[in-house]
Amino acid sequence: MAQWTSAVGAGQLARLLGSQQDRPAGPGTRRPPAYRALADGIRLLVLEGRVPVAARLPAERELALALTVSRTTVAAAYEALRAEGFLESRRGAGSWTAVPAGNPLPARGLEPLPPEALGSMIDLGCAALPAPEPWLTRAVQGALEELPPYAHTHGDYPAGLPALRAMIAERYTARGIPTMPEQIMVTTGAMGAIDAICHLFGGRGERIAVESPSYANILQLMREAGARLVPVAMAEGLTGWDLDRWRQVLRDAAPRIAYVVADFHNPTGALADDDQRRRLVDAARSAGTVLVADETMSELWLDDEVEMPRPVCAFDPAGSTVVTVGSASKAFWAGMRIGWVRAAPDVIRSLVAARAYADLGTPVLEQLAVNWLFSTGGWEQAVQVRREQARQNRDELVVAVRRELPDWDFEVPRGGLTLWVRTGGLSGSRLAEAGERVGVRVPSGPRFGVDGAFEGYVRLPFTVGGAVAEEAAVRLAAAARLVENGGAGGGEPPRTFVA
């Protein structure tokens, strides 16, 4: 009986391996044998989750033809992977990926490290800050005071608490977007909102147009839902969206859904202007595509002179094209798993009806806490604390990275929580692996792309500052040296660091 659960084609594996190009070796640097380089490349893909565990690999002859190498090279690479525990084989069943005993399964998204691991590892994988106090405690206390009447009910509110739906609708109306409570559904975070939207509109095998790069966890959510992702390249730097390219993709590929982060894009930090938003909505409407606008970063402008454009849904007055997703998780706290959808009432009714087969509803206490924040002015004060913290972290991280890694290139965004960094020709995947060895966890660029793109990038979040940001940059520089030297040796053990 075969032990594999999925398969990777020779062409696909060749493309993924081809993206792992390091900077040319300097004088005196020894290149590993071809079989060793191939084995290392496949191992990296497994460790990053870009090739799943228990995925059947191509036959030796097929992969040799796709890579234009000898079958002997592929056979030797497979044998090395078997010896290291990253490959298992059975006659008649082929070979499939594995992880050595005792190793954790690789994550395909950006899961945060458990708190107990933070003593020796600086975590730059998760773009989330600690809760802004005292506002979290006050919100929970306020929620507890409002809880008794709800405790006498069944507690299931598939569309969300009426009071919170009304409050969210009122906030959109105050932004110049007239909104009724019937246009709002409260969800379990933005991920819950997008998952519900994808299942309603997407379906297995449907095309979804996504920015390239885009948010890694959303890309993985869509892959798991069986979507066919259609990447649309972002323009260089912070200029953002190439609207001619978007119009062409929407016209030619006719995706059912398009997903965009127009407000301080994750990972680049770009901010779409009014004209880009208007043209994007027009293109989606012409193509019959549902445009999902993720607003989770919309309140995180970090520079006082930033003038925020109108919401994407402002350019869809009929409400037939744009579905908006918001969340408390980025602007307030990731532990507050409250998100929402704004859409036409018939879309909301369909989402609510489908929810009966998913999670039934969002926790009442957390909804009450967010409603308390919105209704008392606590939200604005808490978000201001969040902006000040993120701004200071951003500025300190930028100084540290520029000092320790002068060859790395990036533009400083004016909002959001992430820095998108070109790594001077080094492989982002190999930097991520080397970083684990020297005590800094950083996500590589390919996690934010489709099929191996962005190997020369990493994403750095504004989650650390001060001495921790300086130490993170020092460790990143140590990881870069390991990659430049061919990854020889295990590097220095990470120092325990207490912020």
Side-chain angles (χ1 to χ4, degrees):
M1 180 178 176
Q3 302 297 308
W4 48 273
T5 57
S6 62
V8 180
Q12 180 188 7
L13 185 56
R15 287 192 298 274
L16 291 170
L17 289 165
S19 69
Q20 298 177 335
Q21 298 299 319
D22 289 338
R23 191 159 50 195
T29 301
R30 296 180 59 186
R31 285 289 190 186
Y35 85 89
R36 184 68 261 173
L38 176 55
D40 286 347
I42 294 174
R43 178 172 52 82
L44 272 175
L45 293 173
V46 173
L47 286 172
E48 283 217 316
R50 291 161 62 199
V51 168
V53 175
R56 186 182 187 276
L57 295 187
E60 294 170 4
R61 188 185 303 277
E62 293 174 4
L63 186 56
L65 286 172
L67 295 174
T68 63
V69 300
S70 71
R71 183 177 177 181
T72 303
T73 296
V74 177
Y78 279 14
E79 183 57 38
L81 289 168
R82 277 189 287 269
E84 296 164 4
F86 286 94
L87 197 69
E88 295 182 12
S89 303
R90 180 176 296 173
R91 185 179 296 276
S95 299
W96 57 91
T97 56
V99 291
N103 279 35
L105 286 174
R108 303 193 74 187
L110 301 176
E111 293 78 6
L113 281 177
E116 61 269 17
L118 295 178
S120 60
M121 182 72 70
I122 297 176
D123 186 9
L124 298 181
C126 184
L129 290 161
E133 287 288 25
W135 303 110
L136 174 62
T137 298
R138 292 180 182 177
V140 173
Q141 290 171 341
L144 287 171
E145 293 175 1
E146 298 292 329
L147 182 62
Y150 295 94
H152 294 291
T153 73
H154 51 63
D156 288 334
Y157 295 87
L161 293 183
L164 181 55
R165 296 176 73 196
M167 182 61 67
I168 294 171
E170 182 181 317
R171 290 173 64 83
Y172 276 106
T173 300
R175 296 167 66 189
I177 317 297
T179 303
M180 304 178 295
E182 292 78 9
Q183 291 177 263
I184 302 296
M185 181 177 85
V186 180
T187 62
T188 307
M191 293 288 288
I194 294 169
D195 181 58
I197 293 166
C198 287
H199 280 89
L200 178 63
F201 291 108
R204 185 164 294 275
E206 290 280 4
R207 294 184 181 93
I208 300 180
V210 294
E211 299 147 326
S212 184
S214 187
Y215 178 38
N217 285 341
I218 293 296
L219 294 180
Q220 191 56 33
L221 181 154
M222 292 173 175
R223 291 188 188 102
E224 297 290 345
R228 298 163 60 190
L229 300 183
V230 182
V232 186
M234 298 282 286
E236 285 294 320
L238 298 178
T239 54
W241 292 258
D242 184 333
L243 271 301
D244 291 336
R245 187 173 295 168
W246 266 101
R247 186 173 292 278
Q248 179 182 354
V249 168
L250 293 178
R251 181 186 65 238
D252 295 346
R256 187 71 181 91
I257 301 172
Y259 169 76
V260 297
V261 185
D263 299 289
F264 306 118
H265 175 259
N266 185 353
T268 69
L271 176 65
D273 61 28
D274 279 339
D275 184 61
Q276 288 173 319
R277 295 168 190 239
R278 180 184 296 105
R279 292 174 61 195
L280 187 57
V281 173
D282 288 346
R285 184 183 298 114
S286 297
T289 297
V290 175
L291 182 62
V292 179
D294 186 336
E295 288 190 335
T296 55
M297 298 281 190
S298 64
E299 296 191 61
L300 289 177
W301 64 85
L302 304 184
D303 297 329
D304 293 337
E305 64 273 18
V306 173
E307 293 187 13
M308 290 299 296
R310 298 171 68 194
V312 174
C313 59
F315 302 98
D316 180 37
S320 59
T321 300
V322 177
V323 175
T324 303
V325 171
S327 172
S329 297
K330 295 296 186 185
F332 186 74
W333 184 46
M336 188 69 76
R337 305 305 303 163
I338 298 295
W340 53 86
V341 179
R342 181 199 181 273
D346 62 315
V347 173
I348 294 298
R349 286 194 295 271
S350 296
L351 288 170
V352 171
R355 192 173 194 179
Y357 308 101
D359 63 353
L360 292 179
T362 301
V364 169
L365 188 63
E366 292 185 28
Q367 292 188 71
L368 289 172
V370 171
N371 192 58
W372 183 91
L373 288 165
F374 284 158
S375 61
T376 62
W379 177 268
E380 284 71 22
Q381 296 178 65
V383 172
Q384 182 59 34
V385 170
R386 170 68 78 243
R387 291 192 196 108
E388 292 169 359
Q389 185 180 15
R391 181 191 306 118
Q392 181 175 343
N393 286 355
R394 178 198 64 181
D395 295 346
E396 292 171 347
L397 183 65
V398 164
V399 169
V401 172
R402 283 179 169 164
R403 180 183 64 244
E404 299 294 335
L405 293 149
D407 291 340
W408 288 18
D409 181 51
F410 54 85
E411 292 189 44
V412 181
R414 305 177 71 185
L417 289 172
T418 58
L419 200 65
W420 186 236
V421 181
R422 194 192 304 266
T423 57
L426 297 179
S427 161
S429 298
R430 297 182 188 279
L431 279 166
E433 183 191 33
E436 295 276 355
R437 289 152 58 184
V438 298
V440 59
R441 182 173 181 259
V442 58
S444 65
R447 289 181 177 270
F448 303 88
V450 177
D451 210 12
F454 307 110
E455 186 62 55
Y457 289 81
V458 294
R459 190 195 73 171
L460 305 180
F462 312 145
T463 52
V464 297
V468 184
E470 293 180 6
E471 178 67 14
V474 168
R475 296 186 187 187
L476 285 171
R481 288 192 296 272
L482 279 176
V483 175
E484 288 173 331
N485 294 329
E492 296 180 3
R495 293 173 283 171
T496 300
F497 192 90
V498 180

